[in-house]
Amino acid sequence: MNDDVRNIVLGVVAAGISAALGWLTRTYLWKRRLRRKQAFFGLPENSECLLVVNRDAGSPDLAVHRHDVFALLELAALIKDCGAGTEVVTQDVARQGFGERTEFCVGGPGSNRRMAAHIQAMLPGVRVNTDREPGPDRLAFQVGGEHYRMDSGVTEFVLLARLTVGGRRGARPVFLFCGQRAINNQAATRYLVRNHERLARKHGNGSFVLLLKVVNSQAYGPDVVELVDDVTRAALAPLPESTIVTPT
């Protein structure tokens, strides 16, 4: 074997080794990211989760608003990426506690009684005005001592929460998407899908409650979302009686 042939063989071998090492590295990094994603969402391989859907508050039928359907599709793709399965139930037939399976609950308390129960049980510092009568405080949020009114189509708010209960080891999280309008629920699911890695780095696998603002949804749909504040402390603390506003 002359020097030219030997150099070619060595080059091919080196290229093969480099390609193999590159493939192994990419596979390792992909699997590590997947494990972190599964841990954050509480969705190990072949696990089952619960997806609770609300009803369209503006429809006389037992229908789901189209933006909530889009939110469910965003979540379904995420769940599939984690290798988990989904049970979809409507808010009026969900009859189980929390912690056994990861739950994704979509819709405000006015159209989702499961959401209302979660807010009452786990977010004592949050109030949502579910009065359907027209008025400036219709669908307004109260978080701690702060109030957030909706300007429909211009400025709307949504709570995005990841909650674990009681610190029990192995307990699965509950994710809440509580918007003033259905399009806000979709905006929150999209925000979670896009930012889950950053949220996992900041919050680990613990609880958090974020207040998001959906900007000019009548023009931009659910795409322009701003983080208003991390309201975890205020949402998890009891609401001072002096700050409670009774709907008029």
Side-chain angles (χ1 to χ4, degrees), residues 177-235:
F177 308 88
C178 178
Q180 293 174 323
R181 297 176 60 218
I183 195 170
N184 310 146
N185 302 329
Q186 184 188 359
T189 60
R190 185 167 295 180
Y191 182 92
L192 179 65
V193 170
R194 290 175 175 174
N195 296 281
H196 66 85
E197 291 183 346
R198 181 178 59 82
L199 294 174
R201 286 193 298 269
K202 182 176 181 180
H203 301 282
N205 294 330
S207 296
F208 63 80
V209 185
L210 305 180
L211 180 68
L212 307 176
K213 179 169 67 175
V214 183
V215 179
N216 201 359
S217 63
Q218 62 188 353
Y220 303 129
D223 286 336
V224 181
V225 181
E226 298 176 359
L227 174 63
V228 177
D229 201 3
D230 181 337
V231 295
T232 306
R233 181 174 297 181

Side-chain angles (χ1 to χ4, degrees), residues 22 34 66 90 99 107 112 146 159 172 191 214:
L34 177 60
R66 65 187 183 92
T90 55
N112 188 331
E146 300 294 328
L159 289 170
R172 302 288 174 79
Y191 182 92
V214 183

Side-chain angles (χ1 to χ4, degrees), residues 71-196:
L72 301 182
L73 292 175
E74 301 253 10
L75 293 172
L78 182 150
I79 294 164
K80 183 179 180 181
D81 287 344
C82 291
T86 308
E87 180 185 358
V88 181
V89 298
T90 55
Q91 51 86 29
D92 54 337
V93 299
R95 297 286 190 275
Q96 68 173 56
F98 34 76
E100 296 301 321
R101 294 188 291 175
T102 292
E103 177 180 338
F104 299 91
C105 190
V106 177
S111 60
N112 188 331
R113 67 179 64 176
R114 178 93 172 164
M115 178 68 73
H118 286 330
I119 291 176
Q120 182 178 8
M122 295 185 283
L123 298 178
V126 173
R127 294 290 186 277
V128 181
N129 185 348
T130 57
D131 187 0
R132 297 189 179 185
E133 292 299 320
D137 289 319
R138 182 174 179 267
L139 301 177
F141 288 169
Q142 179 181 357
V143 184
E146 300 294 328
H147 298 80
Y148 303 92
R149 288 177 171 176
M150 175 184 70
D151 185 358
S152 184
V154 179
T155 301
E156 299 151 347
F157 297 94
V158 55
L159 289 170
L160 168 62
R162 181 192 192 276
L163 303 173
T164 54
V165 182
R168 179 166 58 86
R169 184 177 179 84
R172 302 288 174 79
V174 176
F175 288 88
L176 305 182
F177 308 88
C178 178
Q180 293 174 323
R181 297 176 60 218
I183 195 170
N184 310 146
N185 302 329
Q186 184 188 359
T189 60
R190 185 167 295 180
Y191 182 92
L192 179 65
V193 170
R194 290 175 175 174
N195 296 281
H196 66 85

